[in-house]
Amino acid sequence: MRRQWTLGCWEKPRTVQDVLELVLRSRGLEANTFLRSDLSLLQAYLSFRGMDQAAELMARHIVGGSGILVVGDYDCDGITSAAQLDLFLRDIGHANRRVILPTRAEGYGVPDRAIQEASDCGLLVAVDCGTLDRDAVAAARQKGMDVLIIDHHEVVPDHLAPATVLVNPKHPDCPSSFKEFCSAGLTLLFLTRLRHALNGSHGHVPLDGRYLSLAALGTIADMVPLTEGNRILVAAGLKALNAEAHMPLTHLQRVAGLQGRVVKAGDVAYSMAPRINAAGRMGDPVQAFQLLTAQEPTTAQLLAEQLDRINSERQKGVARILQDVRTRIQTADRRTLVLADPSWNPGLVGIVATKVQQEMLYGPVALLGADTPEARVYKGSVRSVPGYDVHRALSRCRDFLVQWGGHKMAAGVTVEAHQVERFAQRFEEVAREAAADLFVPKGRIDLELDLDLVGEELYAQLSALEPHGMDNPAPVFWARDVVLEGVRTFGRNRAHLSFQIAGHGVPAVFWNGADSWARHLKGHSGPMDAVFRIDWDDYRNRPRLTLIDLFPEGLSVVPSQ
């Protein structure tokens, strides 16, 4: 799928110093505000509806010695949120606590067994779930428990759970100007207010690098925008990770092959977070929670190695499902895809849905699996594309859904087997009402760049824009009339390309570019236009180009909106 490219800034930089200024200008950002990432700036993000009441509620239960039950989701955001709360309660010496994480087989939300197993607790704290869990929360309240919910999923006002206090920036009455914190970030901010509410009764507990690194891990993994408060939090968390502030995560870094490297947001997203998520996807998320809260290095090392093995199995499962999808997919004249198979692991289909969007169909994708081959109910994941609110689309398909929930870009669904075709039809009909332009892949170039400017100085300048992620991607550049030399394939299945840029001596890679090269570019020896990022080559210890697209016919761009 070829992308449509837009150009953010038409002015071409003359010096290395011009590049950062023009990238910021192309994105409509001010250097003196965007480039600041002091932790003290998070103070401006504490005006959440219910935050102080939530802190006071939990403080009362702590001081009173109540049993406290923490329930998190089974993904990295939920697990890191639960781990932060458990660490805090451990740090202040509150032993009367327990943590329960649902399995994917139990489904999203507060599981029934949590209420049964912890009915003696006075407070239930639900993190990364709970907003719409009306039945479970009502059952807890009936047993005399207070319920505190810290969540970031979409709010449906008429379906809110009857919590004692709900903290969710997406609540229509929440005054917070920034709505995009995930639960790991919200939990860290909540702990600053809880510590204040305790007023020194349990000593001064530093919310140090352990908490910051966990909050950053959950934030990066949940793919929320890395802007404003999230950018500040992640920047601090990455510093803590690189300082090895939290021993369990140091062991996770080692099994992920990150030892001795400067860990960046992309390393967390592609190497660390998948190993945490693998536990919930393949079995029991408690294994990941045990790692994140481990106190002994030997225990942490064993658990990290265990998660690494689980992640390898996860990768094999994803490859099998992706191959199944390739043999079944029919995208002619369709904007959406819905496929179900009882042999697919429901914990893996979300990963496959994202890959399908990247390789086969740029549009909303819903893939459904089942807990057993004989199951009459499918569970699955839905992934959307920018600009298309899949949560709203699913609300219009609710007649065919047993359960659904999530946010604009991703959601989970449960569908009875006999309703899958009807759901697929309605899902497509709703997408047909949207603007056709939403379903064309697009890319945004920050500015045109002369390759003579590429070097260590430019790389250092651009590092000020990190951490990169959703809504703050790494800068993308365009160079005209480049000539490739020394092209060779490498990697598994010889899928990647490595080469030099003639006349510049700049090394470059084109990940998964071998197929495109063989089909479209191999016979072209003349100059081409290139779209690329500037990354660091650990092997050569110097900057390199990471190619995104090549255009032998020249690139035609249009202004960004």
Side-chain angles (χ1 to χ4, degrees), residues 252-484:
L252 186 64
Q253 288 167 237
R254 289 173 182 165
V255 299
L258 300 175
Q259 188 174 13
R261 290 177 48 182
V262 175
V263 176
K264 298 190 174 185
D267 298 313
V268 173
Y270 294 107
S271 296
M272 296 179 68
R275 286 167 168 81
I276 297 296
N277 276 325
R281 293 184 186 280
M282 301 294 290
D284 192 346
V286 170
Q287 293 167 292
F289 173 81
Q290 289 172 338
L291 167 65
L292 298 183
T293 55
Q295 300 184 71
E296 297 296 330
T298 52
T299 302
Q301 181 63 27
L302 288 171
L303 287 166
E305 291 172 352
Q306 186 178 49
L307 291 183
D308 191 50
R309 289 192 294 271
I310 294 172
N311 188 56
S312 295
E313 291 301 312
R314 187 270 306 172
Q315 291 172 322
K316 294 175 185 176
V318 166
R320 184 184 68 81
I321 297 173
L322 186 60
Q323 184 57 38
D324 284 353
V325 173
R326 285 196 180 104
T327 63
R328 295 173 54 182
I329 190 170
Q330 294 181 351
T331 61
D333 196 35
R334 289 191 68 85
R335 293 184 175 180
T336 66
L337 176 69
V338 177
L339 288 178
D341 192 306
S343 71
W344 293 347
N345 184 333
L348 303 182
V349 292
I351 302 172
V352 180
T354 300
K355 291 180 178 293
V356 169
Q357 287 180 324
Q358 295 169 345
E359 301 175 15
M360 306 175 209
L361 174 70
Y362 186 78
V365 174
L367 298 182
L368 311 170
D371 294 324
T372 65
E374 302 80 22
R376 296 182 179 180
V377 174
Y378 289 101
K379 299 176 182 178
S381 296
V382 186
R383 297 292 182 266
S384 191
V385 295
Y388 187 77
D389 187 342
V390 76
H391 188 270
R392 180 175 297 175
L394 290 173
S395 72
R396 297 183 55 190
C397 304
R398 67 176 69 194
D399 293 347
F400 310 113
L401 303 176
V402 176
Q403 189 176 7
W404 59 278
H407 46 81
K408 293 179 180 179
M409 291 294 292
V413 293
T414 302
V415 188
E416 292 180 340
H418 71 279
Q419 294 281 32
V420 170
E421 289 301 321
R422 293 179 180 177
F423 165 55
Q425 182 178 349
R426 175 70 62 81
F427 198 52
E428 175 71 15
E429 290 170 354
V430 173
R432 285 282 167 188
E433 298 175 10
D437 187 58
L438 290 177
F439 308 104
V440 177
K442 301 174 184 64
R444 186 183 185 280
I445 298 167
D446 286 283
L447 49 102
E448 185 181 351
L449 184 68
D450 188 328
L451 293 183
D452 287 338
L453 297 178
V454 176
E456 292 189 24
E457 184 182 1
L458 177 58
Y459 180 82
Q461 290 267 345
L462 295 176
S463 295
L465 296 168
E466 296 178 5
H468 295 305
M470 184 177 289
D471 287 2
N472 184 37
V476 175
F477 302 105
W478 165 32
R480 303 180 198 241
D481 300 328
V482 302
V483 176
L484 314 185

Side-chain angles (χ1 to χ4, degrees), residues 60-80:
R60 286 199 302 271
H61 280 277
I62 290 171
V63 171
S66 296
I68 296 177
L69 166 65
V70 176
V71 176
D73 190 23
Y74 43 66
D75 69 358
C76 191
D77 185 23
I79 297 168
T80 53

